[in-house]
Amino acid sequence: MTTAKQAKLAALCLLLVPGVAACESSSAQSEAHPPAVVEEVPGSDVKTVQLTDDAAAAAGIATAPVSAARVASELTMPYAAVIYYLDGTTWTYRLESKNTFRRVPIKVKSISGQVATLTAGPPVGSQVVVVGAPEVLGAELEISGEQ
């Protein structure tokens, strides 16, 4: 793992999600059966993350849909799906197919209780990760949890 990835993990763990599984040590995974397959998205610095069934279950992955807001150009989604990245940008993980996720940028207009109103984000009906996003981010950054 690169020093930059280690620094990102440290900041993520300390600032955003202390105590989650992606930030704690875990039992060693067999190299023959990694818990996630990470692939580049052409023309982007974002990757797709495909978790095994066991890894998705261990992370407790749960999704919820993006909805239309009262204002036609806005969206809503559970606040739990909002990821604050280290550089201050906001993201969410969209379900692409079974246990396969892609981090997509969002623009948060406001937060009211457990609902985030967005001015930009995934289309209405998209499923976004509301439980387990830190683990998916850890997999995307190729953080094994054993650092």
Side-chain angles (χ1 to χ4, degrees), residues 84-141:
Y84 294 93
Y85 205 63
L86 299 174
D87 61 4
T89 57
T90 49
W91 300 78
T92 194
Y93 276 100
R94 179 179 65 209
L95 178 67
E96 300 288 305
S97 61
K98 182 183 180 201
N99 294 338
T100 302
F101 309 93
R102 180 183 298 185
R103 185 167 42 96
V104 295
I106 59 173
K107 297 236 185 265
V108 178
K109 177 182 178 184
S110 64
I111 307 291
S112 179
Q114 297 301 313
V115 177
T117 300
L118 312 176
T119 57
V124 170
S126 297
Q127 292 289 314
V128 292
V129 176
V130 295
V131 176
E135 287 79 3
V136 178
L137 179 61
E140 179 184 347
L141 297 176

Side-chain angles (χ1 to χ4, degrees), residues 12-14 16-24 135:
L12 177 68
C13 293
L14 293 174
L16 303 178
V17 288
V20 298
C23 299
E24 299 172 347
E135 287 79 3

Side-chain angles (χ1 to χ4, degrees), residues 9 13 19-29 135 143-147:
L9 173 63
C13 293
V20 298
C23 299
E24 299 172 347
S25 293
S26 63
S27 62
Q29 293 288 331
E135 287 79 3
I143 299 166
S144 71
E146 297 178 16
Q147 282 66 36

Side-chain angles (χ1 to χ4, degrees), residues 16 18 21 51 54 58 63 66 97 127 136 142:
L16 303 178
L51 300 177
D54 288 343
T63 63
V66 173
S97 61
Q127 292 289 314
V136 178
E142 299 180 38

Side-chain angles (χ1 to χ4, degrees), residues 1-60:
M1 176 186 321
T2 66
T3 302
K5 287 182 182 176
Q6 290 171 327
K8 287 178 184 179
L9 173 63
L12 177 68
C13 293
L14 293 174
L15 299 175
L16 303 178
V17 288
V20 298
C23 299
E24 299 172 347
S25 293
S26 63
S27 62
Q29 293 288 331
S30 166
E31 289 298 317
H33 302 290
V37 175
V38 180
E39 295 182 351
E40 299 283 334
V41 174
S44 172
D45 63 349
V46 176
K47 302 171 185 172
T48 59
V49 177
Q50 182 176 18
L51 300 177
T52 63
D53 288 342
D54 288 343

